[in-house]
Amino acid sequence: MGNENPQEGKAAGESSVALLSKKADPAEETSEFISLRPKSLKEYIGQAEVVEALSIAIEAALQRKEALDHILFHAPPGLGKTTLAHIIAEEMGVNMTVTSGPALEKGGDLLGILTHLEEGDILFIDEIHRLPRVVEEFLYPAMEDFAVDFIFDKGVHARSHRYRLARFVLVGATTRAGLLSAPLRERFGILRSLDFYSEEDLVLIAKRSAVLLNVEMNTDGAYEIARRSRGTPRIVNRLLKRVRDFAQVRGDGIIRKGTVCEALELEGVDEKGLTVLDRKFLKAIIDFYKGGPVGIEAIAATLQEESDTLVDVVEPYLLKIGFLTRTSSGRKISEETYRHFGLPIQQGLFR
Ligand code: ADE
């Protein structure tokens, strides 16, 4: 998990605000750390429409020798927003600076980053919906006019200075498109949502990663990992590493269906890919709220979890597989969920 965290892999002494990442670091490809991320759109599996739209935009910009339009990606965690940003930088042949909404507290934090960008460089802002309002307003002229006005001092001493910026490309990533203000959203030229991946695509991703990790896996094993990965490549790769450990220590090193089932039972991942937190979430609605409807804050209080985690991480997949519905009066679970848990369905609950 967390291999899309912009702060991950940060060298000592680097700013906590931004991580300057140049081209792929050869040290990343050692046996200790093998990047499972695709490095080009050709290698990228799934999200066919998004990949096609991006490849057209990249080719056109390269032909015209221009920078790309600003790009916004919207998707639940682990679906490839950061990976695509890295690929775009690679294919455009530019550098990318990575930061995130909560890391930027004031305009000055952004100023330092913006003034270091070169022509065509990418600024990647993860969790852009969590950008403080003052920083967001600072970003508007930067995105539109490639200039920022910075005000020094206060009151009668206030002085303003206009900084000209290189034509950079902002790539924003968000799990909550709805929380982005309209003025910010309107400044992006390319807006794309990534969907959960099909089982077939997850199988291909699992097989590709197994080759990179140099582990033998049969097709049934790949399908079992795919089925339990909540439609999410990052989870495929995480589970694959756990199953590889299990196969190595408890088996003959080869990943088969049985190995996956045994290894993932230990991880608390069930046949549908639901995790401990997914099950706690669904059980809380059943046990404390008779299946719903119930507000998200009440569920969060019951579980002592952040409601943001539930909304961003837990709910999207449960909604996708129909275990959960969201109504105007709150969250409700479905008949399917009761069946999954082998629970009796109360008369009149769903009719
Ligand atoms: N690894 C993680 N996501 C991937 C993707 N979409 N294609 C190929 N490999 C991946």
Side-chain angles (χ1 to χ4, degrees):
M1 244 333 212
N3 63 357
E4 293 203 4
N5 182 343
Q7 302 297 337
E8 206 167 85
K10 187 161 56 104
E14 256 174 347
S15 154
S16 65
V17 173
L19 169 67
L20 278 170
S21 55
K22 295 239 172 188
K23 306 279 161 50
D25 179 355
E28 276 194 2
E29 307 298 331
T30 62
S31 57
E32 286 155 53
F33 182 80
I34 297 164
S35 174
L36 298 178
R37 278 185 183 169
K39 306 251 170 351
S40 66
L41 288 178
K42 277 212 157 49
E43 275 180 80
Y44 199 94
I45 296 161
Q47 311 294 342
E49 275 184 23
V50 176
V51 167
E52 188 178 2
L54 289 176
S55 69
I56 291 171
I58 290 170
E59 197 175 326
L62 286 173
Q63 280 174 9
R64 293 195 303 263
K65 299 188 169 48
E66 280 177 8
L68 285 166
D69 276 344
H70 302 304
I71 303 172
L72 181 68
F73 290 126
H74 162 239
L79 295 196
K81 303 183 289 298
T82 310
T83 300
L84 284 172
H86 278 289
I87 290 175
I88 294 165
E90 190 72 33
E91 301 220 341
M92 291 298 296
V94 297
N95 292 322
M96 180 160 104
T97 299
V98 178
T99 186
S100 76
L104 300 167
E105 288 174 6
K106 44 193 190 331
D109 294 340
L110 196 53
L111 183 69
I113 297 175
L114 289 173
T115 52
H116 280 92
L117 296 174
E118 291 175 15
E119 209 61 22
D121 277 0
I122 292 180
L123 170 61
F124 179 71
I125 307 185
D126 202 8
E127 295 189 78
I128 195 165
H129 59 278
R130 294 178 63 191
L131 214 52
R133 181 46 66 104
V134 282
V135 182
E136 186 178 318
E137 283 169 5
F138 193 83
L139 199 53
Y140 298 158
M143 290 174 77
E144 216 157 71
D145 310 325
F146 302 99
V148 282
D149 292 309
F150 195 74
I151 299 161
F152 297 92
D153 288 345
K154 290 195 179 115
V156 290
H157 299 295
R159 292 160 291 130
S160 143
H161 183 80
R162 170 154 271 232
Y163 290 87
R164 296 235 130 259
L165 305 172
R167 249 196 124 77
F168 70 100
V169 179
L170 178 65
V171 179
T174 181
T175 50
R176 302 263 203 107
L179 293 187
L180 229 64
S181 73
L184 181 57
R185 206 168 43 237
E186 283 159 9
R187 284 171 168 80
F188 289 95
I190 301 174
L191 297 96
R192 287 279 161 176
S193 289
L194 310 180
D195 289 331
F196 287 108
Y197 290 62
S198 67
E199 198 170 284
E200 287 69 31
D201 285 340
L202 297 171
V203 167
L204 294 176
I205 292 170
K207 288 187 166 179
R208 174 182 177 276
S209 296
V211 170
L212 292 173
L213 292 172
N214 200 19
V215 56
E216 201 178 319
M217 174 171 66
N218 71 14
T219 296
D220 283 352
Y223 265 95
E224 198 54 38
I225 290 183
R227 258 195 295 279
R228 293 174 182 240
S229 293
R230 299 172 97 259
T232 307
R234 184 191 289 168
I235 302 182
V236 168
N237 289 335
R238 186 172 67 79
L239 298 185
L240 178 62
K241 287 177 182 172
R242 296 292 65 76
V243 176
R244 174 179 67 159
D245 289 351
F246 189 90
Q248 182 187 323
V249 174
R250 295 282 170 88
D252 58 3
I254 301 171
I255 300 177
R256 303 178 178 84
K257 183 173 175 174
T259 338
V260 177
C261 296
E262 280 184 65
L264 296 188
E265 195 177 326
L266 267 178
E267 289 292 306
V269 170
D270 73 16
E271 317 83 68
K272 279 244 173 223
L274 303 190
T275 63
V276 174
L277 184 57
D278 292 327
R279 292 193 297 274
K280 269 170 60 181
F281 176 89
L282 295 168
K283 284 264 175 67
I285 303 177
I286 295 172
D287 294 344
F288 296 97
Y289 304 101
K290 299 186 178 137
V294 54
I296 189 69
E297 294 302 335
I299 306 169
T302 305
L303 295 176
Q304 299 195 29
E305 280 287 344
E306 289 286 323
S307 59
D308 275 356
T309 309
L310 301 179
V311 173
D312 289 345
V313 180
V314 176
E315 288 194 327
Y317 189 67
L318 298 178
L319 289 163
K320 158 89 183 167
I321 61 171
F323 273 32
L324 182 74
T325 53
R326 273 207 301 233
T327 69
S328 55
S329 43
R331 273 67 172 169
K332 268 180 85 166
I333 59 162
S334 67
E335 251 181 271
E336 186 74 9
T337 315
Y338 280 84
R339 265 189 246 116
H340 179 71
F341 287 127
L343 294 170
I345 299 165
Q346 278 175 42
Q347 282 299 315
L349 198 56
F350 291 100
R351 291 179 224 297

